[in-house]
Amino acid sequence: MNKGARRNHTPAFKAKVALAAIKGDRTVAELAEQFDVHPSQITSWKAQLEGGAADVFGPGGNGAAQPTVDVKSLHAKIGELTLGTIFWKERSAKPVC
């Protein structure tokens, strides 16, 4: 049996198929025939869409919450690591007695 190459569907295509499945005006078998994908794949995409739909209306509205960054603590950590690096470089350059 010669299998064809795997198809990679775009997120826009997956969303289109999942929304059509959520509408419910056609069966999954009809949608599978129309979009040329396996019915179980449509069911999976539909479940993913339903599971992630709440994130769209969360804080920020973009689906992914951006973590707050404390710039001062990051600069302090960079300084600490830089001093440590300098210390160990100088220490390794000295001859051992």
Side-chain angles (χ1 to χ4, degrees):
M1 276 174 90
N2 186 8
K3 291 186 178 183
R6 290 180 61 130
R7 294 186 300 176
N8 292 324
H9 300 289
T10 63
F13 177 77
K14 293 176 184 180
K16 179 180 175 181
V17 175
L19 284 172
I22 287 174
K23 283 182 186 176
D25 57 350
R26 284 174 280 173
T27 65
V28 175
E30 291 172 339
L31 292 172
E33 186 177 331
Q34 176 186 352
F35 292 109
D36 192 31
V37 294
H38 197 272
S40 64
Q41 188 66 66
I42 293 174
T43 305
S44 174
W45 292 342
K46 179 182 172 185
Q48 286 178 358
L49 180 63
E50 289 172 340
D55 295 339
V56 173
F57 299 106
N62 61 357
Q66 296 295 326
T68 58
V69 177
D70 185 16
V71 176
K72 285 187 177 185
S73 67
L74 292 175
H75 283 296
K77 188 65 176 180
I78 291 170
E80 180 184 332
L81 294 172
T82 303
L83 286 176
T85 303
I86 292 170
F87 172 79
W88 287 110
K89 280 185 180 179
E90 289 176 356
R91 176 137 179 151
S92 67
K94 291 183 182 177
V96 177
C97 296

